[in-house]
Amino acid sequence: VAYNTYSTTTETADNETTDENLGASGANYVKLAESFSATEGGVLDKVTMKLSKNTDATGTVTVGIYAHSGTFGTSSVPTGAALATYTFDASTLTTSLTDTTFTFAGANRITLTAGTNYVLVMEYAGAILTHWKYNASGGSGTGNFARYVSSWTADSAADADFTVSVIAPRFEMLSQVAN
């Protein structure tokens, strides 16, 4: 008998309310990232991130899963092209940090392998200012945070708040037939 179960990989910022800016002005970053190790393999279903926006946020934000480069939890950064993406309009976010869920579809429902390291990336296109909740002095996760302006800079002390959910197939033998 085959059936599906739901599994998640979660990293939390331990109730911190600090957020990192993603935007086009000042010291804001054009990409933010957090590395994670898939706790269980399965088909990527959704990603939940604690996000907010400035009242005048415009443009698009893309959330993506990338292959991992560097030492996990210390110098993790994304590498190569995105393995899966979800793009949304920044104006749909609220002005308070809120769990925001993105459900992946079609070719973006990739298979994540248990024990493999990946990097979750958020990037903008347009004149926006959005925020991703993180803990500057570490959270409960084992990965690390990273920021991008013209190149990636890893921050081993910081952890972002997110959940990656997969649909994992299960097979179970209900009975054995004696010969």
Side-chain angles (χ1 to χ4, degrees):
V1 171
Y3 60 96
N4 291 324
T5 60
Y6 213 60
S7 176
T8 61
T9 298
T10 301
E11 294 203 10
T12 63
D14 293 337
N15 299 317
E16 288 290 316
T17 56
T18 305
D19 53 39
E20 188 65 88
N21 294 333
L22 179 70
S25 63
N28 300 312
Y29 302 96
V30 295
K31 298 178 188 178
L32 300 173
E34 174 75 24
S35 58
F36 68 96
S37 184
T39 54
E40 187 164 344
V43 175
L44 175 64
D45 184 39
K46 57 187 165 186
V47 169
T48 302
M49 303 164 72
K50 195 161 293 274
L51 303 176
S52 66
K53 68 170 181 175
N54 282 9
T55 55
D56 57 351
T58 61
T60 58
V61 177
T62 300
V63 173
I65 304 284
Y66 286 75
H68 172 273
S69 179
T71 302
F72 183 74
T74 304
S75 61
S76 299
V77 294
T79 187
L83 304 172
T85 59
Y86 184 97
T87 300
F88 66 97
D89 187 328
S91 67
T92 62
L93 296 172
T94 67
T95 55
S96 358
L97 286 168
T98 305
D99 284 335
T100 307
T101 300
F102 310 107
T103 302
F104 288 74
N108 292 300
R109 290 181 67 97
I110 61 168
T111 298
L112 299 181
T113 303
T116 299
N117 300 329
Y118 298 95
V119 181
L120 176 62
V121 175
M122 182 173 81
E123 62 184 290
Y124 82 91
I128 65 169
L129 192 56
T130 59
H131 312 276
W132 186 3
K133 179 182 169 188
Y134 83 114
N135 185 330
S137 58
S140 65
T142 56
N144 65 264
F145 200 64
R147 300 166 182 88
Y148 183 94
V149 176
S150 59
S151 64
W152 283 105
T153 302
D155 183 348
S156 62
D159 273 316
D161 197 285
F162 72 95
T163 300
V164 174
S165 302
V166 299
I167 299 170
R170 294 280 181 256
F171 299 94
E172 184 176 309
M173 184 180 289
L174 296 177
S175 64
Q176 244 177 339
V177 177
N179 289 336

